[in-house]
Amino acid sequence: MSFALSIAAEVRSGERTAVDVLDEHLGRIDTSEDEVHAFNLVTRDLARHQAEGIDAAVADGRDPGPLAGVPIALKDNMCTRGVPTTCSSRILSDWRPPYDATVVERLAAAGAVLVGKTNLDEFAMGSSTENSAFGPTRNPHDLSRVPGGSSGGSAAAVAARFVPVALGSDTGGSIRQPAAMCGVVGVKPTYGAVSRFGLVAFASSLDQIGPLANSVADAAATLEVISGHDKFDSTSIERAPLDLTSQLGLGIDGLKIGVVKELNAAADTDVQVRVDAALELLASAGADVVEVSVPAVTYGLTAYYLIAPAEASSNLARFDGVRYGLRIDGDDVHEMMVNTRTAGFGDEVKARIMLGTYALSAGYYDAFYGKAQKLRTLVRRDFDAAYENVDVLISATAPSVAFEFGDKSDPLAMYKCDVCTIPSNLGGDPAMSVPFGSGAHGLPVGVQVLAPPGGEQVMFRMAAAIERLGAQEGLIR
Ligand code: GLN
């Protein structure tokens, strides 16, 4: 087993060294990484250096931080100073950021040890990690299947016990959906709760960083460390870091749960059975469970696939062969840019840039982008109405268990993997996935807990209850 909080307790008390913890995890990486391919890069030397620093702090009687000696992995779209940050794209190969993302600084200050950068769908566009320029990641539960995506490398690294905690980014479900498919906990915080400074932007109004972990408590502890205001992110909420650990044992007696009719209908029966089982147990544990309708969530995919590509087309304009990474020369600057972007971006990224540019172009802007923004407002309005009557909402996280490689070659089939997760990004709401047993082929199923903006405390309270009930039923390892 590999749990962040027990590692930190042992390292802080001097019972175990951070170097010993690191060696244990590197050992597992050496044994299985060849078949899983969770990492784009394993930062062995940096990790050893950081672990030795933690051990020195403990020996000197200095406070090594709440995550002392905890090995962590970062999705490879978060900037690490001097360490390659590729977004799993050829266009950023060999690019080394000159600065650390705020989350990287905060994790280091908390004593965490950076073990590596994890694989993703190129620029976080995808739901299976098959869109990586460096080859796919495989699901540790079944190597013939995808880990989900786009944070598939982070989810697989946690599921394979390469690290107890990893960070991912979630624009339309990219933390929660792979967490569900790999049987780990995954959290998308409220928009603005975690700084995006140093996260390579995909769709800036939707992107959020969050943790993936083997327990709700580990996810809570990590989110406490990375949350809180950051002056380097203009969308960062002016609020103290989240206090979540205090909530985990409070129980759910009297809490009101709304089951989102439209989202549950999107899941296959195999997944629905597990979600229903969780709801029954929650009801018997004292929660009040009612069915609710959030009609506008059915527009989620449509709105997202205009807004996200529109923002991406603008954000990705900076990869021009001049400022970052790859350059393929040409006879003039225009030809150089065309050559660089043609060779540097993969097919899905190109499709999104074209779609987004089209949706933003003069004459089409109101019909596509403007309409999509109106749908986004409807999603917010319907969530607000639902939360007048309930504390949290619950649905499936992903409509199915992990699928086989190549199974979703039709883009629309792939996009539908995020039908349950996208509405929370459009609304800016927090949402998380908690593993709850298995479905078809013995593969993991995740239950999604959704909360109103700023509602992380009640969301974690509910997630902890789901985890406890699952453990009592023998559904959680
Ligand atoms: N799968 C969705 C997409 O391809 C969401 C990705 C994400 O959350 N980064 O855009």
Side-chain angles (χ1 to χ4, degrees):
M1 274 299 159
S2 172
F3 290 109
L5 286 172
S6 51
I7 289 170
E10 286 173 0
V11 170
R12 288 172 61 86
S13 69
E15 213 172 302
R16 221 180 146 188
T17 65
V19 168
D20 183 46
V21 171
L22 173 65
D23 285 340
E24 179 197 324
H25 288 83
L26 287 176
R28 279 202 282 270
I29 292 171
D30 288 338
T31 307
S32 314
E33 168 61 2
D34 274 354
E35 49 189 27
V36 176
H37 186 217
F39 289 100
N40 285 342
L41 178 70
V42 178
T43 49
R44 276 168 208 278
D45 296 343
L46 176 68
R48 188 159 302 274
H49 179 76
Q50 284 182 334
E52 284 167 359
I54 299 299
D55 289 336
V58 174
D60 291 354
R62 282 178 281 132
D63 183 354
L67 297 180
V70 174
I72 57 141
L74 297 173
K75 188 176 184 177
D76 202 14
N77 61 353
M78 295 175 207
C79 289
T80 39
R81 186 155 56 94
V83 176
T85 299
T86 68
C87 294
S88 289
S89 180
R90 281 185 299 274
I91 210 155
L92 279 176
S93 44
D94 297 330
W95 182 61
R96 289 165 195 259
Y99 65 98
D100 277 329
T102 296
V103 290
V104 175
E105 278 182 356
R106 289 189 181 173
L107 285 170
V113 170
L114 175 62
V115 169
K117 307 291 294 284
T118 58
N119 197 15
L120 61 148
D121 287 296
E122 186 176 5
F123 284 104
M125 297 176 191
S127 307
S128 67
T129 320
E130 291 169 288
N131 291 340
S132 167
F134 310 133
T137 296
R138 285 175 278 279
N139 192 317
H141 292 272
D142 176 347
L143 296 171
S144 71
R145 289 171 189 266
V146 304
S150 64
S151 311
S154 289
V158 173
R161 309 293 193 253
F162 294 162
V163 283
V165 178
L167 296 190
S169 66
D170 191 310
T171 305
S174 279
I175 292 173
R176 292 161 286 160
Q177 185 259 20
M181 290 192 168
C182 288
V184 304
V185 176
V187 187
K188 182 200 94 73
T190 303
Y191 185 75
V194 175
S195 170
R196 291 183 294 111
F197 180 72
L199 171 69
V200 180
F202 163 10
S204 311
S205 77
L206 302 161
D207 299 337
Q208 267 298 283
I209 293 174
L212 297 101
N214 281 317
S215 72
V216 171
D218 282 357
T222 308
L223 186 49
E224 286 174 346
V225 163
I226 61 173
S227 62
H229 184 248
D230 178 20
K231 66 176 183 205
F232 294 123
D233 173 358
S234 64
T235 62
S236 166
I237 300 170
E238 300 232 15
R239 197 172 63 184
L242 291 162
D243 164 23
L244 303 167
T245 305
S246 63
Q247 306 298 305
L248 304 181
L250 293 183
I252 52 161
D253 202 22
L255 285 187
K256 213 158 172 193
I257 298 172
V259 186
V260 188
K261 195 167 79 180
E262 292 82 2
L263 296 183
N264 256 8
D268 62 25
T269 39
D270 173 45
V271 170
Q272 274 176 21
V273 165
R274 297 260 49 102
V275 177
D276 289 345
L279 289 165
E280 248 174 62
L281 288 170
L282 288 166
S284 56
D288 187 3
V289 181
V290 294
E291 189 177 71
V292 301
S293 173
V294 188
V297 297
T298 54
Y299 305 133
L301 269 183
T302 311
Y304 176 89
Y305 276 99
L306 289 165
I307 294 170
E311 294 186 20
S313 72
S314 163
N315 276 324
L316 271 58
R318 65 178 61 115
F319 304 110
D320 55 5
V322 177
R323 287 171 286 188
Y324 307 90
L326 186 76
R327 172 186 296 201
I328 312 275
D329 279 324
D331 286 340
D332 56 27
V333 70
H334 181 251
E335 203 182 290
M336 180 279 288
M337 285 181 187
V338 170
N339 290 348
T340 300
R341 287 168 70 85
T342 302
F345 290 134
D347 288 345
E348 182 65 24
V349 174
K350 284 177 185 157
R352 304 254 186 136
I353 290 172
M354 286 188 274
L355 190 66
T357 306
Y358 185 77
L360 289 174
S361 58
Y364 296 102
Y365 185 95
D366 288 340
F368 294 116
Y369 185 73
K371 266 258 177 63
Q373 292 292 12
K374 286 181 184 160
L375 292 180
R376 187 173 188 176
T377 304
L378 292 184
V379 171
R380 176 73 269 144
R381 189 198 63 184
D382 285 2
F383 270 138
D384 285 343
Y387 287 122
E388 278 179 19
N389 303 312
V390 299
D391 297 293
V392 297
L393 296 171
I394 281 184
S395 77
T397 306
S400 74
V401 298
F403 47 90
E404 287 177 347
F405 291 98
D407 235 25
K408 311 247 181 221
S409 48
D410 165 27
L412 192 57
M414 187 70 86
Y415 297 171
K416 283 184 175 169
C417 295
D418 297 300
V419 62
C420 299
T421 47
I422 278 174
S424 306
N425 299 79
L426 292 170
D429 301 1
M432 67 192 283
S433 182
V434 186
F436 200 80
S438 47
H441 315 289
L443 291 162
V445 170
V447 172
Q448 184 177 220
V449 185
L450 305 87
E456 274 89 348
Q457 286 195 326
V458 69
M459 178 175 84
F460 268 86
R461 203 172 143 189
M462 186 60 61
I466 293 173
E467 182 179 65
R468 273 195 300 276
L469 293 166
Q472 277 165 24
E473 297 290 306
L475 294 173
I476 294 174
R477 291 174 294 169

